[in-house]
Amino acid sequence: MIQLLLIKLLATAGIVMLVALSVGRLGPRLGGILAGTPVILGPGYFFMLREQSADFVQQAVLSTLQALVATLLFTVCFVVSAARRSALHSLALSSLLWVPGALLFTRLPGELVGVVVAFLAVLALAEGINRRLRLGQPVVVASAGWFDLLLRGLLAGTLVSLATTLAARSGPALSGVILGFPVGILTIAWALSERYGVEVARMTVSMTQRGMLSLLAFCVVSYLGVGHLPGMLVFALSLSASMTTSFLLFMFSLWRARRLYPSHQRLSVGESSIAVDPEP
């Protein structure tokens, strides 16, 4: 048991650190595409598809989708509260909101359709709040430090190992909810607020909301495919759907930024790029 936990923790931590480091090296365009992939959900469901039954995985995916709706509320709470509170207080408040939110959304009717509708509705609410707060400015870009990479990797590895090994004994609902916890957003917001101020963290977190559509695509394809297709084929199709969605979102945001902001108004720090990961 302990050996299996360590393998999953180290494997996931290595993947997350490699992806985050690659984002900083490849630059905003290619890095943005890579950052949109499910670097936490991917390893989690890779192990789960190999170890659990189709019914277990399908219910876990549904629970993850429900938790992602709560994660959108997490981002909204942070963006709003961080305007008047410190980043740490705002993150703590957002985390406290996420817990009852995740429990509440597990009671959504309609299974997959109901959760997708709820996700899109909360995303539309978040977009409206961002526009009202005028958070549409380009984000300061910055590369992640080694401490940020290590912290994010270890936290992600712990989540995956718990969700796929320990929580599996308590049922698919708990496994899926654990994988939906916004550890990536939390560490990014914390690191950026410490280095560049809370306003940069607020703008960055607001950007992750739309990027979470790639995670929605991953979960929807997984939910529909499991039980009908081989597990590894389901994983490959889910990952492809997520990466395609992330790429399309990135191209749209690039086109929109070019229309709204002339090149000389874009803000940057040095010549590094941002390690923005919409993964929770």
Side-chain angles (χ1 to χ4, degrees):
M1 174 68 71
I2 299 298
Q3 183 179 10
L4 183 60
L5 279 171
L6 288 175
I7 291 174
K8 292 179 178 180
L9 189 154
L10 295 176
T12 303
I15 292 172
V16 171
M17 292 177 65
L18 179 62
V19 169
L21 185 62
S22 298
V23 168
R25 294 291 182 266
L26 293 175
R29 294 190 181 184
L30 294 177
I33 298 172
L34 188 59
T37 59
V39 293
I40 296 178
L41 294 187
Y45 281 104
F46 175 82
F47 290 121
M48 203 176 292
L49 283 165
R50 292 171 62 91
E51 299 171 359
Q52 303 297 334
S53 66
D55 289 339
F56 185 101
V57 175
Q58 190 174 56
Q59 289 303 311
V61 171
L62 185 62
S63 295
T64 297
L65 275 171
Q66 293 162 342
L68 289 180
V69 183
T71 295
L72 281 174
L73 291 181
F74 174 99
T75 63
V76 171
C77 180
F78 177 80
V79 168
V80 173
S81 63
R84 297 186 178 182
R85 297 178 177 270
S86 68
L88 286 179
H89 286 168
S90 298
L91 287 172
L93 180 62
S94 301
S95 298
L96 290 175
L97 176 65
W98 183 88
V99 174
L103 295 176
L104 174 65
F105 289 121
T106 58
R107 301 181 179 274
L108 282 172
E111 298 248 325
L112 179 64
V113 175
V115 177
V116 171
V117 170
F119 182 95
L120 295 177
V122 177
L123 178 60
L125 173 65
E127 290 279 347
I129 292 175
N130 291 339
R131 290 185 180 182
R132 187 176 183 85
L133 295 175
R134 298 183 179 181
L135 291 174
Q137 303 95 328
V139 173
V140 174
V141 294
S143 59
W146 283 107
F147 176 76
D148 303 336
L149 294 174
L150 182 61
L151 176 63
R152 198 181 310 173
L154 291 177
L155 287 175
T158 301
L159 279 180
V160 168
S161 59
L162 286 175
T164 59
T165 302
L166 297 181
R169 297 187 174 186
S170 301
L174 182 57
S175 299
V177 168
I178 290 176
L179 285 176
F181 183 76
V183 61
I185 298 174
L186 190 151
T187 55
I188 288 170
W190 182 21
L192 289 180
S193 63
E194 289 291 318
R195 294 181 182 182
Y196 303 106
V198 70
E199 288 304 313
V200 174
R202 291 177 71 210
M203 288 187 290
T204 302
V205 169
S206 71
M207 288 183 65
T208 68
Q209 294 165 347
R210 194 178 300 172
M212 286 175 61
L213 285 169
S214 65
L215 305 179
L216 178 69
F218 180 91
C219 290
V220 169
V221 173
S222 296
Y223 184 89
L224 295 175
V226 70
H228 302 287
L229 298 170
M232 290 302 98
L233 179 58
V234 172
F235 177 78
L237 291 174
S238 302
L239 191 60
S240 297
S242 176
M243 294 179 68
T244 300
T245 302
S246 182
F247 174 76
L248 293 175
L249 286 171
F250 176 76
M251 295 304 296
F252 173 76
S253 65
L254 184 63
W255 169 79
R256 187 169 179 269
R258 286 176 174 174
R259 290 193 59 189
L260 294 178
Y261 308 109
S263 58
H264 65 276
Q265 291 182 357
R266 293 177 189 169
L267 198 58
S268 64
V269 175
E271 297 179 352
S272 56
S273 64
I274 189 167
V276 176
D277 182 2
E279 179 88 12

